[in-house]
Coordinates of all heavy atoms in Angstrom, one line a residue:
M1 N 42.1 10.6 17.1 CA 41.4 10.7 15.9 C 39.9 10.5 16.1 O 39.5 9.6 16.8 CB 41.9 9.7 14.9 CG 41.4 9.8 13.5 SD 42.4 8.9 12.3 CE 41.1 7.8 11.8
V2 N 39.1 11.3 15.4 CA 37.6 11.2 15.6 C 37.1 10.2 14.5 O 37.5 10.3 13.3 CB 37.0 12.6 15.4 CG1 35.5 12.5 15.4 CG2 37.5 13.6 16.4
K3 N 36.3 9.3 14.9 CA 35.7 8.3 14.0 C 34.4 8.9 13.5 O 33.7 9.5 14.2 CB 35.4 7.0 14.8 CG 36.5 6.0 14.8 CD 36.0 4.8 15.4 CE 36.6 3.6 14.8 NZ 36.2 2.3 15.4
N4 N 34.2 8.6 12.2 CA 32.9 9.0 11.6 C 31.9 8.1 12.1 O 32.0 6.8 12.1 CB 33.0 8.9 10.1 CG 33.6 10.2 9.5 OD1 33.9 11.2 10.1 ND2 33.9 10.1 8.2
T5 N 30.7 8.6 12.5 CA 29.6 7.8 12.8 C 28.7 7.7 11.7 O 28.8 8.4 10.7 CB 28.9 8.4 14.1 OG1 28.4 9.7 13.7 CG2 29.8 8.5 15.2
N6 N 27.6 6.9 11.8 CA 26.7 6.8 10.7 C 26.0 8.1 10.4 O 25.8 8.5 9.3 CB 25.7 5.7 11.0 CG 24.8 5.4 9.8 OD1 25.3 5.3 8.6 ND2 23.5 5.3 9.9
I7 N 25.7 8.9 11.4 CA 25.0 10.2 11.2 C 25.9 11.1 10.4 O 25.5 11.9 9.6 CB 24.5 10.8 12.5 CG1 23.6 12.0 12.3 CG2 25.7 11.3 13.4 CD1 22.2 11.6 11.8
D8 N 27.3 11.0 10.7 CA 28.2 11.9 9.9 C 28.2 11.4 8.4 O 28.2 12.3 7.5 CB 29.6 11.7 10.4 CG 29.8 12.3 11.8 OD1 29.1 13.2 12.2 OD2 30.7 11.8 12.5
N9 N 28.1 10.1 8.2 CA 28.0 9.6 6.8 C 26.7 10.1 6.1 O 26.7 10.4 5.0 CB 28.1 8.1 6.8 CG 29.5 7.6 7.1 OD1 30.5 8.4 7.0 ND2 29.6 6.4 7.6
V10 N 25.6 10.1 6.9 CA 24.3 10.5 6.3 C 24.4 12.0 6.0 O 24.0 12.3 4.8 CB 23.2 10.2 7.3 CG1 21.9 10.9 6.9 CG2 23.0 8.7 7.5
Y11 N 24.8 12.8 6.9 CA 24.9 14.2 6.6 C 25.9 14.5 5.4 O 25.6 15.4 4.5 CB 25.3 15.1 7.8 CG 24.2 15.3 8.8 CD1 24.3 14.9 10.1 CD2 23.1 16.0 8.4 CE1 23.3 15.1 11.0 CE2 22.0 16.3 9.2 CZ 22.1 15.8 10.5 OH 21.1 16.1 11.4
S12 N 27.0 13.8 5.4 CA 27.9 14.0 4.3 C 27.3 13.6 2.9 O 27.4 14.3 1.9 CB 29.2 13.2 4.5 OG 30.0 13.3 3.5
S13 N 26.6 12.5 3.0 CA 25.9 12.0 1.7 C 24.8 13.0 1.3 O 24.7 13.2 0.1 CB 25.2 10.6 2.0 OG 26.2 9.7 2.3
L14 N 24.0 13.5 2.2 CA 22.9 14.4 1.8 C 23.4 15.8 1.5 O 22.6 16.6 1.0 CB 21.9 14.4 3.0 CG 21.2 13.1 3.3 CD1 20.4 13.2 4.5 CD2 20.4 12.6 2.1
S15 N 24.6 16.1 1.7 CA 25.1 17.5 1.4 C 25.3 17.7 -0.1 O 25.3 18.8 -0.5 CB 26.4 17.7 2.2 OG 27.5 16.9 1.6
D16 N 25.3 16.6 -0.8 CA 25.5 16.8 -2.3 C 24.1 16.8 -3.0 O 23.3 15.9 -2.8 CB 26.3 15.6 -2.8 CG 26.7 15.7 -4.3 OD1 25.8 15.6 -5.1 OD2 27.9 16.0 -4.5
P17 N 23.9 17.8 -3.8 CA 22.6 17.9 -4.5 C 22.3 16.8 -5.4 O 21.1 16.4 -5.6 CB 22.6 19.3 -5.2 CG 24.0 19.8 -5.1 CD 24.7 19.0 -4.1
V18 N 23.3 16.2 -6.1 CA 23.1 15.1 -7.0 C 22.6 13.9 -6.2 O 21.6 13.2 -6.6 CB 24.4 14.7 -7.7 CG1 24.2 13.4 -8.5 CG2 24.8 15.9 -8.7
R19 N 23.2 13.6 -5.0 CA 22.7 12.5 -4.2 C 21.3 12.7 -3.7 O 20.5 11.8 -3.7 CB 23.7 12.2 -3.1 CG 25.0 11.7 -3.7 CD 25.9 11.1 -2.6 NE 26.6 12.1 -1.8 CZ 27.8 12.5 -2.1 NH1 28.5 12.1 -3.1 NH2 28.4 13.4 -1.3
R20 N 21.0 13.9 -3.3 CA 19.6 14.2 -2.9 C 18.6 14.0 -4.0 O 17.6 13.4 -3.8 CB 19.5 15.6 -2.3 CG 20.1 15.8 -1.0 CD 19.7 17.1 -0.3 NE 19.9 18.3 -1.2 CZ 21.0 19.0 -1.2 NH1 22.1 18.7 -0.5 NH2 21.1 20.1 -2.0
H21 N 19.0 14.4 -5.2 CA 18.1 14.2 -6.4 C 18.0 12.7 -6.7 O 16.9 12.2 -7.1 CB 18.7 15.0 -7.6 CG 17.8 15.1 -8.7 ND1 16.7 16.0 -8.7 CD2 17.7 14.4 -9.9 CE1 16.0 15.8 -9.9 NE2 16.6 14.9 -10.6
I22 N 19.1 11.9 -6.5 CA 19.0 10.5 -6.8 C 18.0 9.9 -5.8 O 17.2 9.0 -6.2 CB 20.4 9.8 -6.6 CG1 21.3 10.2 -7.8 CG2 20.3 8.3 -6.4 CD1 22.8 9.8 -7.6
L23 N 18.0 10.3 -4.5 CA 17.1 9.7 -3.6 C 15.7 10.0 -4.0 O 14.8 9.2 -3.9 CB 17.4 10.3 -2.2 CG 18.6 9.8 -1.5 CD1 18.8 10.5 -0.1 CD2 18.6 8.3 -1.3
L24 N 15.4 11.3 -4.4 CA 14.1 11.6 -4.9 C 13.6 10.8 -6.1 O 12.5 10.4 -6.1 CB 14.0 13.1 -5.2 CG 14.1 14.0 -4.0 CD1 14.2 15.5 -4.4 CD2 12.9 13.8 -3.0
N25 N 14.5 10.5 -7.0 CA 14.2 9.7 -8.1 C 13.9 8.2 -7.7 O 13.0 7.6 -8.3 CB 15.3 9.6 -9.1 CG 15.5 11.0 -9.9 OD1 14.5 11.8 -9.9 ND2 16.6 11.2 -10.4
I26 N 14.6 7.7 -6.8 CA 14.4 6.4 -6.3 C 13.2 6.3 -5.4 O 12.6 5.2 -5.3 CB 15.6 5.8 -5.6 CG1 16.8 5.8 -6.5 CG2 15.4 4.4 -5.0 CD1 18.1 5.4 -5.9
S27 N 12.7 7.4 -4.9 CA 11.6 7.3 -3.9 C 10.3 6.8 -4.5 O 9.5 6.3 -3.8 CB 11.4 8.7 -3.3 OG 10.9 9.6 -4.2
D28 N 10.1 7.0 -5.8 CA 8.9 6.5 -6.5 C 8.9 5.0 -6.6 O 7.9 4.4 -6.4 CB 8.7 7.2 -7.9 CG 8.5 8.7 -7.7 OD1 8.0 9.1 -6.7 OD2 8.9 9.4 -8.7
H29 N 10.0 4.4 -7.0 CA 10.1 3.0 -7.2 C 11.6 2.7 -7.4 O 12.4 3.5 -7.7 CB 9.3 2.5 -8.4 CG 9.5 3.3 -9.6 ND1 10.6 3.2 -10.4 CD2 8.7 4.2 -10.2 CE1 10.5 4.1 -11.4 NE2 9.3 4.7 -11.3
D30 N 11.9 1.4 -7.1 CA 13.3 0.9 -7.3 C 13.8 1.1 -8.7 O 13.0 0.9 -9.7 CB 13.5 -0.5 -6.9 CG 13.2 -0.8 -5.4 OD1 13.0 0.2 -4.7 OD2 13.3 -1.9 -5.0
L31 N 15.0 1.6 -8.9 CA 15.5 1.8 -10.2 C 16.9 1.1 -10.4 O 17.6 0.9 -9.4 CB 15.7 3.3 -10.5 CG 14.5 4.2 -10.5 CD1 14.9 5.7 -10.6 CD2 13.6 3.8 -11.6
H32 N 17.3 0.8 -11.6 CA 18.6 0.3 -11.9 C 19.5 1.4 -12.3 O 19.0 2.5 -12.6 CB 18.6 -0.9 -12.9 CG 18.0 -0.6 -14.2 ND1 18.7 0.0 -15.2 CD2 16.8 -0.8 -14.7 CE1 17.9 0.2 -16.2 NE2 16.7 -0.3 -16.0
L33 N 20.8 1.2 -12.4 CA 21.8 2.2 -12.7 C 21.5 3.1 -13.9 O 21.5 4.3 -13.9 CB 23.2 1.6 -12.8 CG 24.3 2.5 -13.1 CD1 24.5 3.6 -12.0 CD2 25.6 1.8 -13.3
Q34 N 21.1 2.4 -15.0 CA 20.8 3.2 -16.2 C 19.7 4.1 -16.0 O 19.7 5.3 -16.5 CB 20.4 2.2 -17.4 CG 21.5 1.1 -17.7 CD 22.7 1.7 -18.4 OE1 22.7 2.8 -18.8 NE2 23.7 0.9 -18.5
K35 N 18.6 3.7 -15.3 CA 17.4 4.6 -15.1 C 17.8 5.8 -14.2 O 17.3 6.9 -14.4 CB 16.3 3.8 -14.5 CG 15.6 2.9 -15.5 CD 14.8 3.8 -16.5 CE 14.0 2.9 -17.4 NZ 13.3 3.7 -18.5
V36 N 18.6 5.5 -13.2 CA 19.1 6.6 -12.3 C 19.9 7.6 -13.1 O 19.7 8.8 -13.0 CB 19.9 6.0 -11.1 CG1 20.5 7.1 -10.3 CG2 19.0 5.1 -10.2
A37 N 20.8 7.1 -13.9 CA 21.7 7.9 -14.6 C 21.1 8.8 -15.7 O 21.6 9.9 -16.0 CB 22.8 7.1 -15.3
E38 N 20.0 8.4 -16.2 CA 19.4 9.1 -17.3 C 18.8 10.5 -16.9 O 18.5 11.4 -17.7 CB 18.3 8.3 -18.1 CG 17.0 8.1 -17.3 CD 16.1 7.1 -18.1 OE1 16.5 6.4 -18.9 OE2 14.9 7.2 -17.8
H39 N 18.8 10.7 -15.6 CA 18.3 12.0 -15.1 C 19.4 13.0 -14.9 O 19.2 14.2 -14.5 CB 17.6 11.8 -13.7 CG 16.4 11.0 -13.8 ND1 15.2 11.5 -14.2 CD2 16.2 9.7 -13.5 CE1 14.3 10.5 -14.2 NE2 14.8 9.4 -13.8
F40 N 20.7 12.6 -15.2 CA 21.8 13.5 -14.9 C 22.7 13.5 -16.2 O 22.7 12.6 -17.0 CB 22.6 12.9 -13.8 CG 21.9 12.8 -12.5 CD1 21.3 11.5 -12.2 CD2 21.6 13.9 -11.7 CE1 20.6 11.4 -11.0 CE2 20.9 13.7 -10.6 CZ 20.3 12.5 -10.2
K41 N 23.5 14.6 -16.3 CA 24.4 14.8 -17.3 C 25.8 14.5 -16.8 O 26.8 15.2 -17.0 CB 24.4 16.2 -17.9 CG 23.1 16.6 -18.5 CD 23.0 18.0 -19.1 CE 21.7 18.2 -19.7 NZ 21.6 19.6 -20.2
I42 N 25.9 13.3 -16.2 CA 27.2 12.9 -15.7 C 27.4 11.4 -16.1 O 26.4 10.7 -16.5 CB 27.4 13.0 -14.2 CG1 26.3 12.3 -13.4 CG2 27.4 14.5 -13.7 CD1 26.4 12.3 -11.9
S43 N 28.6 10.9 -16.1 CA 28.9 9.5 -16.6 C 28.3 8.5 -15.6 O 28.0 8.7 -14.5 CB 30.4 9.4 -16.7 OG 31.0 9.4 -15.4
L44 N 28.1 7.3 -16.2 CA 27.7 6.1 -15.4 C 28.6 5.9 -14.2 O 28.1 5.6 -13.1 CB 27.6 4.9 -16.3 CG 26.3 4.8 -17.1 CD1 26.4 3.5 -18.0 CD2 25.1 4.8 -16.3
P45 N 29.9 5.9 -14.4 CA 30.8 5.7 -13.2 C 30.6 6.8 -12.1 O 30.7 6.4 -10.9 CB 32.2 5.8 -13.8 CG 32.1 5.4 -15.2 CD 30.7 5.9 -15.6
A46 N 30.3 8.0 -12.5 CA 30.1 9.0 -11.5 C 28.8 8.8 -10.8 O 28.7 8.9 -9.5 CB 30.0 10.4 -12.2
V47 N 27.7 8.3 -11.5 CA 26.5 8.0 -10.8 C 26.7 6.8 -9.9 O 26.2 6.8 -8.8 CB 25.4 7.7 -11.8 CG1 24.1 7.1 -11.2 CG2 25.0 8.9 -12.7
S48 N 27.5 5.8 -10.3 CA 27.8 4.7 -9.5 C 28.5 5.0 -8.2 O 28.2 4.5 -7.2 CB 28.6 3.7 -10.3 OG 28.9 2.5 -9.6
K49 N 29.4 6.0 -8.3 CA 30.1 6.5 -7.1 C 29.1 7.1 -6.1 O 29.2 6.9 -4.9 CB 31.2 7.4 -7.5 CG 32.4 6.7 -8.1 CD 33.5 7.7 -8.4 CE 34.7 7.0 -9.0 NZ 35.8 7.9 -9.3
H50 N 28.2 7.9 -6.7 CA 27.2 8.6 -5.8 C 26.3 7.5 -5.1 O 26.0 7.6 -3.9 CB 26.3 9.5 -6.6 CG 27.0 10.8 -7.0 ND1 27.3 11.7 -6.0 CD2 27.3 11.3 -8.2 CE1 27.8 12.8 -6.6 NE2 27.8 12.6 -7.9
L51 N 26.0 6.5 -5.9 CA 25.2 5.4 -5.3 C 25.9 4.6 -4.2 O 25.4 4.3 -3.2 CB 24.7 4.4 -6.4 CG 23.7 4.9 -7.4 CD1 23.5 4.0 -8.6 CD2 22.4 5.1 -6.7
K52 N 27.2 4.4 -4.4 CA 28.1 3.8 -3.4 C 28.1 4.6 -2.1 O 28.1 4.1 -1.0 CB 29.5 3.5 -3.9 CG 29.5 2.4 -4.9 CD 30.9 2.1 -5.4 CE 30.8 1.0 -6.5 NZ 32.1 0.8 -7.1
V53 N 28.2 5.9 -2.2 CA 28.2 6.8 -1.1 C 26.9 6.7 -0.3 O 26.8 6.6 0.9 CB 28.5 8.3 -1.5 CG1 28.3 9.2 -0.3 CG2 29.9 8.4 -2.0
L54 N 25.8 6.7 -1.1 CA 24.5 6.6 -0.4 C 24.3 5.2 0.2 O 23.7 5.1 1.3 CB 23.4 6.8 -1.5 CG 23.2 8.2 -2.0 CD1 22.3 8.3 -3.2 CD2 22.7 9.2 -0.9
E55 N 24.8 4.2 -0.4 CA 24.7 2.8 0.1 C 25.6 2.7 1.4 O 25.1 2.1 2.4 CB 25.2 1.8 -0.9 CG 24.9 0.4 -0.5 CD 25.3 -0.6 -1.6 OE1 26.1 -0.2 -2.5 OE2 24.8 -1.7 -1.5
S56 N 26.8 3.3 1.4 CA 27.6 3.3 2.6 C 27.0 4.0 3.8 O 27.2 3.7 5.0 CB 29.0 3.7 2.3 OG 29.0 5.1 2.2
A57 N 26.2 5.0 3.5 CA 25.4 5.8 4.5 C 24.1 5.1 4.9 O 23.4 5.6 5.8 CB 25.2 7.2 4.1
E58 N 23.9 3.9 4.3 CA 22.7 3.1 4.6 C 21.4 3.8 4.3 O 20.4 3.7 4.9 CB 22.7 2.6 6.1 CG 23.9 1.7 6.4 CD 24.0 1.3 7.8 OE1 23.0 1.6 8.6 OE2 25.0 0.7 8.2
L59 N 21.5 4.6 3.1 CA 20.3 5.3 2.7 C 19.6 4.6 1.5 O 18.4 4.8 1.2 CB 20.6 6.7 2.3 CG 21.1 7.6 3.4 CD1 21.6 9.0 2.9 CD2 19.9 7.9 4.4
I60 N 20.3 3.7 0.8 CA 19.8 2.9 -0.2 C 20.2 1.5 -0.1 O 21.2 1.2 0.6 CB 20.2 3.5 -1.6 CG1 21.7 3.4 -1.9 CG2 19.6 4.8 -1.9 CD1 22.1 3.6 -3.3
T61 N 19.4 0.6 -0.7 CA 19.7 -0.8 -0.8 C 20.0 -1.2 -2.2 O 19.5 -0.5 -3.1 CB 18.6 -1.7 -0.2 OG1 17.4 -1.4 -1.0 CG2 18.3 -1.3 1.2
R62 N 20.8 -2.2 -2.4 CA 21.2 -2.7 -3.7 C 20.7 -4.2 -3.7 O 21.1 -5.0 -2.9 CB 22.7 -2.6 -3.9 CG 23.2 -3.2 -5.2 CD 24.7 -3.2 -5.2 NE 25.3 -2.0 -4.8 CZ 26.1 -1.3 -5.6 NH1 26.4 -1.8 -6.8 NH2 26.6 -0.2 -5.2
Q63 N 19.9 -4.5 -4.7 CA 19.4 -5.9 -4.9 C 19.7 -6.3 -6.3 O 19.4 -5.6 -7.3 CB 17.9 -5.9 -4.6 CG 17.5 -5.6 -3.2 CD 16.0 -5.5 -3.0 OE1 15.3 -5.5 -4.0 NE2 15.6 -5.3 -1.8
K64 N 20.2 -7.5 -6.4 CA 20.6 -8.1 -7.7 C 19.3 -8.5 -8.4 O 18.5 -9.2 -7.9 CB 21.6 -9.2 -7.6 CG 22.1 -9.7 -8.9 CD 23.4 -10.4 -8.7 CE 23.9 -10.8 -10.1 NZ 25.2 -10.4 -10.4
A65 N 19.2 -8.1 -9.7 CA 18.1 -8.5 -10.5 C 18.6 -8.9 -11.9 O 18.8 -8.1 -12.8 CB 17.1 -7.3 -10.7
G66 N 18.9 -10.2 -12.0 CA 19.5 -10.7 -13.2 C 21.0 -10.2 -13.3 O 21.7 -10.5 -12.4
R67 N 21.3 -9.5 -14.4 CA 22.6 -9.0 -14.6 C 22.8 -7.6 -14.0 O 23.9 -7.0 -14.1 CB 23.0 -9.0 -16.0 CG 23.0 -10.4 -16.6 CD 23.2 -10.4 -18.1 NE 24.5 -9.8 -18.4 CZ 24.9 -9.6 -19.7 NH1 24.1 -9.9 -20.7 NH2 26.0 -9.0 -19.9
E68 N 21.8 -7.0 -13.5 CA 21.8 -5.6 -13.0 C 21.4 -5.6 -11.5 O 21.0 -6.6 -11.0 CB 20.9 -4.7 -13.8 CG 21.3 -4.6 -15.2 CD 20.4 -3.6 -16.0 OE1 19.5 -3.1 -15.4 OE2 20.7 -3.3 -17.1
Y69 N 21.6 -4.4 -11.0 CA 21.2 -4.2 -9.6 C 20.1 -3.1 -9.6 O 20.2 -2.1 -10.3 CB 22.4 -3.7 -8.7 CG 23.4 -4.7 -8.5 CD1 24.6 -4.8 -9.3 CD2 23.3 -5.6 -7.4 CE1 25.5 -5.8 -9.0 CE2 24.2 -6.6 -7.1 CZ 25.3 -6.7 -7.9 OH 26.3 -7.6 -7.7
N70 N 19.1 -3.4 -8.7 CA 18.1 -2.3 -8.5 C 18.4 -1.7 -7.2 O 18.9 -2.3 -6.2 CB 16.7 -3.0 -8.4 CG 16.2 -3.4 -9.8 OD1 16.6 -2.8 -10.8 ND2 15.4 -4.4 -9.8
F71 N 18.2 -0.4 -7.2 CA 18.4 0.4 -6.0 C 17.1 0.9 -5.4 O 16.3 1.4 -6.1 CB 19.3 1.6 -6.3 CG 20.7 1.2 -6.8 CD1 20.9 1.0 -8.2 CD2 21.7 0.9 -5.9 CE1 22.2 0.6 -8.6 CE2 23.0 0.5 -6.4 CZ 23.2 0.4 -7.7
G72 N 17.0 0.7 -4.1 CA 15.8 1.2 -3.4 C 16.1 2.0 -2.1 O 17.3 2.0 -1.7
L73 N 15.1 2.6 -1.5 CA 15.4 3.4 -0.4 C 15.3 2.6 0.9 O 14.5 1.6 1.0 CB 14.3 4.5 -0.3 CG 14.3 5.5 -1.4 CD1 13.3 6.6 -1.1 CD2 15.7 6.2 -1.5
T74 N 16.0 3.0 1.9 CA 15.9 2.4 3.3 C 14.9 3.3 4.0 O 14.5 4.4 3.5 CB 17.2 2.4 4.0 OG1 17.6 3.8 4.2 CG2 18.3 1.6 3.3
D75 N 14.4 2.9 5.2 CA 13.5 3.7 6.0 C 14.2 5.0 6.4 O 13.5 6.0 6.4 CB 13.1 2.9 7.2 CG 12.2 1.8 6.9 OD1 11.5 1.8 5.8 OD2 12.1 0.8 7.7
A76 N 15.5 5.0 6.6 CA 16.2 6.2 6.9 C 16.1 7.3 5.8 O 15.9 8.5 6.0 CB 17.6 6.0 7.3
A77 N 16.2 6.8 4.6 CA 16.1 7.7 3.4 C 14.7 8.3 3.3 O 14.6 9.5 3.0 CB 16.6 7.0 2.2
K78 N 13.7 7.4 3.5 CA 12.3 7.9 3.5 C 12.1 9.0 4.5 O 11.4 10.0 4.2 CB 11.4 6.7 3.7 CG 11.4 5.7 2.5 CD 10.6 4.5 2.8 CE 10.8 3.5 1.7 NZ 10.1 2.2 2.1
Y79 N 12.7 8.8 5.7 CA 12.6 9.8 6.7 C 13.2 11.2 6.2 O 12.6 12.2 6.4 CB 13.3 9.4 8.0 CG 13.5 10.5 9.0 CD1 12.5 10.8 9.8 CD2 14.7 11.1 9.1 CE1 12.6 11.9 10.8 CE2 14.9 12.1 10.0 CZ 13.9 12.5 10.8 OH 14.0 13.5 11.7
W80 N 14.4 11.1 5.7 CA 15.1 12.3 5.3 C 14.4 13.0 4.1 O 14.3 14.2 4.1 CB 16.5 12.0 4.9 CG 17.4 11.8 6.1 CD1 17.9 10.7 6.6 CD2 17.8 12.8 7.1 NE1 18.6 10.9 7.8 CE2 18.5 12.2 8.1 CE3 17.5 14.2 7.1 CZ2 19.0 12.9 9.1 CZ3 18.1 14.9 8.2 CH2 18.8 14.3 9.2
I81 N 13.8 12.2 3.2 CA 13.0 12.8 2.1 C 11.8 13.6 2.7 O 11.6 14.7 2.2 CB 12.6 11.8 1.1 CG1 13.8 11.3 0.3 CG2 11.5 12.3 0.2 CD1 13.5 10.1 -0.5
T82 N 11.2 13.0 3.6 CA 10.0 13.7 4.3 C 10.5 15.0 4.9 O 9.8 16.0 4.8 CB 9.4 12.8 5.3 OG1 9.0 11.6 4.7 CG2 8.2 13.4 6.0
Q83 N 11.6 14.9 5.6 CA 12.1 16.1 6.3 C 12.5 17.2 5.3 O 12.3 18.4 5.5 CB 13.4 15.8 7.1 CG 13.0 14.9 8.3 CD 11.9 15.4 9.1 OE1 11.8 16.5 9.5 NE2 10.9 14.5 9.4
F84 N 13.1 16.8 4.1 CA 13.5 17.8 3.1 C 12.2 18.5 2.5 O 12.2 19.7 2.3 CB 14.3 17.2 2.0 CG 15.7 17.0 2.4 CD1 16.3 15.7 2.1 CD2 16.5 17.9 3.0 CE1 17.6 15.5 2.4 CE2 17.8 17.7 3.3 CZ 18.4 16.5 3.1
K85 N 11.2 17.7 2.3 CA 9.9 18.2 1.8 C 9.3 19.2 2.8 O 8.8 20.3 2.4 CB 9.0 17.1 1.4 CG 9.4 16.4 0.2 CD 8.5 15.2 -0.2 CE 9.0 14.5 -1.4 NZ 8.1 13.4 -1.8
R86 N 9.3 18.9 4.0 CA 8.8 19.8 5.1 C 9.6 21.1 5.1 O 9.1 22.2 5.3 CB 8.8 19.1 6.4 CG 7.8 18.1 6.6 CD 7.8 17.5 8.0 NE 6.8 16.5 8.1 CZ 6.7 15.6 9.2 NH1 7.6 15.7 10.1 NH2 5.8 14.7 9.2
L87 N 10.9 20.9 5.0 CA 11.8 22.1 5.0 C 11.5 23.0 3.9 O 11.4 24.2 4.0 CB 13.3 21.7 5.1 CG 14.3 22.8 5.0 CD1 14.1 23.7 6.3 CD2 15.7 22.2 5.0
E88 N 11.3 22.4 2.7 CA 11.0 23.2 1.5 C 9.7 23.9 1.7 O 9.6 25.1 1.3 CB 10.9 22.2 0.3 CG 10.8 22.9 -1.0 CD 10.8 21.9 -2.2 OE1 10.3 20.8 -2.0 OE2 11.2 22.3 -3.3
I89 N 8.7 23.3 2.2 CA 7.4 24.0 2.4 C 7.6 25.1 3.4 O 7.1 26.2 3.2 CB 6.4 23.0 2.9 CG1 6.0 22.0 1.8 CG2 5.1 23.7 3.5 CD1 5.2 20.8 2.3
F90 N 8.3 24.9 4.5 CA 8.6 25.9 5.5 C 9.3 27.1 4.9 O 9.0 28.3 5.1 CB 9.4 25.3 6.6 CG 9.8 26.4 7.6 CD1 8.9 26.9 8.6 CD2 11.1 26.9 7.6 CE1 9.3 27.8 9.5 CE2 11.5 27.8 8.5 CZ 10.6 28.3 9.5
L91 N 10.3 26.9 4.1 CA 11.1 27.9 3.5 C 10.3 28.7 2.5 O 10.4 30.0 2.4 CB 12.3 27.4 2.8 CG 13.4 26.8 3.8 CD1 14.5 26.2 3.0 CD2 13.9 27.9 4.7
K92 N 9.4 28.1 1.8 CA 8.5 28.8 0.9 C 7.5 29.7 1.6 O 7.2 30.8 1.2 CB 7.7 27.8 0.0 CG 8.5 27.2 -1.1 CD 7.7 26.3 -2.0 CE 8.6 25.6 -3.0 NZ 7.9 24.7 -3.9
K93 N 7.0 29.3 2.8 CA 6.1 30.1 3.6 C 6.8 31.3 4.2 O 6.2 32.3 4.4 CB 5.5 29.2 4.7 CG 4.5 28.2 4.3 CD 4.0 27.4 5.4 CE 3.0 26.4 5.0 NZ 2.4 25.6 6.1
T94 N 8.1 31.2 4.5 CA 8.8 32.3 5.1 C 9.3 33.4 4.2 O 9.8 34.4 4.6 CB 10.0 31.8 5.9 OG1 10.9 31.1 5.0 CG2 9.6 30.8 7.0
K95 N 9.1 33.2 2.9 CA 9.5 34.2 1.9 C 8.5 35.3 1.8 O 7.4 35.3 2.0 CB 9.7 33.6 0.5 CG 11.0 32.8 0.5 CD 11.3 32.4 -1.0 CE 12.6 31.7 -1.0 NZ 13.0 31.3 -2.4

């Protein structure tokens, strides 16, 4: 049986457009669940599941702030966001 490595988890996490959009929203500043969820037309539990996937891939961090958790980016997520932006610029130039 093949074991999933962290890079497999990262690619799997980034393959979902909702999770990529979540990363972009968090890139400006740390957000709590309610603030992350207001950008989507999905339920809070669904957003929470996406956040858990991103956290298990070590792309976001969770910090307790009172009764809520704030979510922030790891250095790995910042790297991937930069790469996505470069790819977007490249693809626009090739059209």
